[in-house]
């Protein structure tokens, strides 16, 4: 069977020997919901009606960040809380009922970056449980091994851990698509450090928030002192655009050298305190370049501080939505 997925000017063909099982195009992150310490701690909950909104807006997939490590026992066998797992199931089912693909992402696992040696067994156990639990789900459920490995989890060690986790997943999910990103917070410059196994069902991912003093201006709870960046603009000068094109070219060239592995731009966005006209220009240009390079993309995020939707007003930010889906 053959599937054709249009990514702007680019096309992925998935045939008898696919690069991946499921073609992704344009998605949105359900951020600040299930990766909060507890759902609702950061002001937003996953709501069933959001999935209709997302589907009707013409997104085709959701990236679901989940703080699995915060809902698993701290000692062997590191059992995931069944009540929390049931809640994730409910969210996944809401997506599948609307023919939305969904990425289950291991998110905000800060402990593994601070102490990768001490957290290895927890990491592998969590993936064993997730893999076995979802092994009968359709291929439109996709796994993402770890969001933004950083700090002490450097490339050589991360390459070991990703290989071990993938082996565990393949025992129960031999053909499910798995997304893997590089160290240094999924920085595009570190894709070249990824040592991926020979597996036809992998997608490589990176995140893009450059220039940081524009995209994160005023986000002091993440970057102390970022309030000094307020009123930073992005006017789409030739130099500003060339930098993004150059960086995306780097990822595309790496993909070609590695058998045209599919690429997901897993996160990109601008904090809501940035000047809105600049925010729209940057978002539109990054989205256009992702599509021009043949990358799938998922915007950060749906309904919180970077959000394309306003839950309080129950309305899309229309200018931002149009920048993503003209």
């Amino acid at each position: 069977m053959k599937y054709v997925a249009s990514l702007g000017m680019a096309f992925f063909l998935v045939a008898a020997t696919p690069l991946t099982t499921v073609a992704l195009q344009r998605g949105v992150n359900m951020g600040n919901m299930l990766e909060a310490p507890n759902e609702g701690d950061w002001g937003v909950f996953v709501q069933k009606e959001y999935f209709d909104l997302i589907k009707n807006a013409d997104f085709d997939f959701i990236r679901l960040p989940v703080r699995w490590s915060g809902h698993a026992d701290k000692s062997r066998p590191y059992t995931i809380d069944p009540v929390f797992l049931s809640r994730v199931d409910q969210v996944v089912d809401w997506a599948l009922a609307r023919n939305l693909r969904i990425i289950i992402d291991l998110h905000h696992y800060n402990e593994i970056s601070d102490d990768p040696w001490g957290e290895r067994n927890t990491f592998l156990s969590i993936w064993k449980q997730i893999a076995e639990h979802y092994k009968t789900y359709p291929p439109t459920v996709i796994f993402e091994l770890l969001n933004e490995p950083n700090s002490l989890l450097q490339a050589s060690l991360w390459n070991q851990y990703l290989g071990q986790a993938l082996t565990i997943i393949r025992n129960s999910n031999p053909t499910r698509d798995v997304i893997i990103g590089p160290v240094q917070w999924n920085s595009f410059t570190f894709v070249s450090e990824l040592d991926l196994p020979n597996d036809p069902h992998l997608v490589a991912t990176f995140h893009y928030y450059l220039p940081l003093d524009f995209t994160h201006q005023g986000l002091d709870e993440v970057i102390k002192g970022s309030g000094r960046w307020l009123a930073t603009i992005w006017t789409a000068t030739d130099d500003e655009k060339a930098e993004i094109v150059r960086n995306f070219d780097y990822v595309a060239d790496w993909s070609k050298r590695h058998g045209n592995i599919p690429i997901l731009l897993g996160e990109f966005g601008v904090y809501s305190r940035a000047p809105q006209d600049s925010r729209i220009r940057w978002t539109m240009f990054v989205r256009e370049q992702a599509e021009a390079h043949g990358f799938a993309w998922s915007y950060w995020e749906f309904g919180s501080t970077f959000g394309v939707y306003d839950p309080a007003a129950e309305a899309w930010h229309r200018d931002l939505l149009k920048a993503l889906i003209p």
Side-chain angles (χ1 to χ4, degrees):
M1 188 172 183
K2 179 166 37 176
Y3 304 87
V4 181
S6 171
L7 299 179
M9 296 171 59
F11 296 86
F12 289 156
L13 297 183
V14 183
T17 55
L19 285 173
T20 56
T21 304
V22 178
L24 301 172
Q25 298 180 60
R26 49 197 182 195
V28 65
N29 282 269
M30 285 205 148
N32 291 359
M33 299 180 185
L34 293 181
E35 89 275 20
N38 296 285
E39 186 180 3
D41 283 355
W42 292 346
V44 281
F45 295 82
V46 185
Q47 305 286 351
K48 184 177 181 180
E49 58 266 25
Y50 293 166
F51 295 83
D52 291 318
L53 291 166
I54 290 167
K55 178 68 175 180
N56 292 337
D58 211 20
F59 294 98
D60 68 276
F61 75 94
I62 288 166
R63 182 172 180 258
L64 182 68
V66 182
R67 191 185 291 234
W68 292 103
S69 59
H71 300 275
D73 290 343
K74 302 304 180 185
S75 58
R76 292 180 186 274
Y78 313 105
T79 303
I80 295 171
D81 176 10
V83 174
F84 182 74
L85 182 56
S86 178
R87 172 58 169 159
V88 177
D89 287 348
Q90 183 181 47
V91 173
V92 169
D93 290 343
W94 284 343
L96 296 180
R98 291 153 182 82
N99 293 316
L100 288 165
R101 302 158 178 84
I102 187 163
I103 298 167
I104 298 175
D105 164 45
L106 178 54
H107 207 97
H108 271 303
Y109 189 5
N110 299 324
E111 299 89 339
I112 198 170
S113 291
D114 295 336
D115 180 17
W117 305 275
E119 293 293 324
R120 171 185 172 275
N121 290 336
T122 306
F123 172 67
L124 297 178
S125 175
I126 286 173
W127 270 115
K128 185 174 188 295
Q129 293 174 73
I130 295 171
E132 291 180 349
H133 182 79
Y134 288 106
K135 64 184 179 182
T136 61
Y137 276 64
T140 46
V141 175
I142 301 163
F143 296 157
E144 183 172 347
L145 286 188
L146 182 64
N147 179 74
E148 297 185 348
N150 63 84
S151 301
L152 297 179
L153 187 53
Q154 295 298 306
S156 59
L157 192 58
W158 174 228
N159 285 328
Q160 294 178 39
Y161 285 13
L162 70 85
Q164 293 164 2
L166 192 61
T167 297
I168 288 171
I169 290 169
R170 289 293 175 245
N171 287 334
S172 54
N173 294 259
T175 60
R176 188 173 304 281
D177 287 348
V178 177
I179 298 170
I180 305 175
V183 295
Q184 295 300 309
W185 292 271
N186 288 161
S187 169
F188 80 92
T189 58
F190 282 82
V191 292
S192 59
E193 304 263 340
L194 273 175
D195 183 10
L196 298 179
N198 183 15
D199 185 315
H201 301 286
L202 297 183
V203 177
T205 189
F206 74 104
H207 295 173
Y208 198 81
Y209 290 105
L210 298 178
L212 200 65
D213 59 355
F214 168 66
T215 65
H216 281 55
Q217 56 186 290
L219 191 56
D220 284 341
E221 60 267 32
V222 175
I223 302 175
K224 298 300 182 185
S226 62
R228 69 187 185 277
W229 299 335
L230 284 170
T232 301
I233 60 174
W234 195 87
T235 56
T237 66
D238 288 345
D239 286 345
E240 287 174 330
K241 292 190 292 186
E243 180 183 13
I244 294 172
V245 172
R246 183 168 58 249
N247 295 341
F248 282 26
D249 283 348
Y250 181 88
V251 177
D253 290 344
W254 175 85
S255 170
K256 291 174 185 175
R257 296 195 307 272
H258 291 79
N260 290 313
I261 184 170
I263 300 293
L264 167 65
L265 173 56
E267 292 184 16
F268 68 105
V270 184
Y271 185 51
S272 57
R273 293 183 70 186
Q276 187 70 357
D277 54 349
S278 290
R279 192 180 180 210
I280 299 306
R281 277 192 294 270
W282 184 91
T283 300
M284 181 179 295
F285 189 75
V286 170
R287 187 267 304 166
E288 288 173 346
Q289 286 306 307
E291 292 175 350
H293 284 78
F295 305 159
W297 54 262
S298 54
Y299 178 75
W300 185 269
E301 35 65 23
F302 174 71
S304 190
T305 55
F306 286 67
V308 67
Y309 181 79
D310 183 346
E314 299 183 349
W316 293 102
H317 297 293
R318 286 290 170 183
D319 51 358
L320 189 53
L321 180 62
K322 187 176 180 180
L324 293 168
I325 303 180

